[in-house]
Amino acid sequence: AQSVTQLGSHVSVSEGALVLLRCNYSSSVPPYLFWYVQYPNQGLQLLLKYTTGATLVKGINGFEAEFKKSETSFHLTKPSAHMSDAAEYFCAVRPSGSARQLTFGSGTQLTVLP
Amino acid sequence: KAGVTQTPRYLIKTRGQQVTLSCSPISGHRSVSWYQQTPGQGLQFLFEYFSETQRNKGNFPGRFSGRQFSNSRSEMNVSTLELGDSALYLCASSPQAGEIAEQYFGPGTRLTVT
């Protein structure tokens, strides 16, 4: 079975500082990996995804993530935080194959301080 | 293209009642998945439908059921509601083609059981 662990349920950064949200996964085979963002009272929006190929993935809003197989990690980063980045972030894993089922981490609430 | 729409957005029901939630996927998408989001359990997969057939099911009791129509619209039903069924129910659609096709989420239906 696949699982996802997000370290830190709450992360606070100052505006302009580096954002680092941690995600580790457990899977017997390389899965597909995703980061989603959720703003209050909204659904999930895809930030980026890793399927195959380049291990450094760039997404929307200046976010990127690096797939490290040896560390089973897929941490999300952004060089400079903006107030509008305050939201909840979810890492998710999906098995390769046709099934669309996502297994989510517990989420990290990002607060951006002025 | 219009996004995934879910109706109603908010719903209040009483224990023991049943409820039906509706999801209209993005035009052309044939896969629809449902997720339950609660503060305690996080985001959990309910089921996935593709071409009117349930393709995958999560670990939920039989009170939770769903179906998909020929136009890809989907409904989920919860019978004999319990207080613990209070949650945000999210629907996601995905294109037919492509193993790595991503899921697009709707805004969710907030169900409150009293």
Side-chain angles (χ1 to χ4, degrees), chain B residues 1-53:
Chain B
K1 278 184 180 179
V4 177
T5 58
Q6 293 187 244
T7 56
R9 289 293 311 277
Y10 301 91
L11 204 50
I12 300 175
K13 290 286 188 178
T14 304
R15 267 184 307 175
Q17 290 185 316
Q18 75 165 18
V19 67
T20 299
L21 311 181
S22 180
C23 171
S24 293
I26 293 172
S27 177
H29 286 194
R30 293 177 60 184
S31 169
V32 173
S33 298
W34 289 88
Y35 294 84
Q36 181 196 63
Q37 185 177 23
T38 61
Q41 298 299 316
L43 280 153
Q44 293 184 288
F45 171 76
L46 279 157
F47 26 66
E48 178 198 357
Y49 286 87
F50 181 80
S51 294
E52 303 178 64
T53 301

Side-chain angles (χ1 to χ4, degrees), chain B residues 60-79:
Chain B
F60 278 83
R63 300 185 297 108
F64 291 82
S65 62
R67 59 178 176 170
Q68 187 179 32
F69 301 95
S70 58
N71 62 358
S72 295
R73 190 177 70 85
S74 177
E75 290 181 346
M76 67 162 283
N77 184 277
V78 187
S79 62

Side-chain angles (χ1 to χ4, degrees), chain A residues 80-92:
Chain A
S80 177
H82 191 272
M83 297 296 289
S84 61
D85 294 327
E88 190 155 23
Y89 292 80
F90 293 92
C91 181

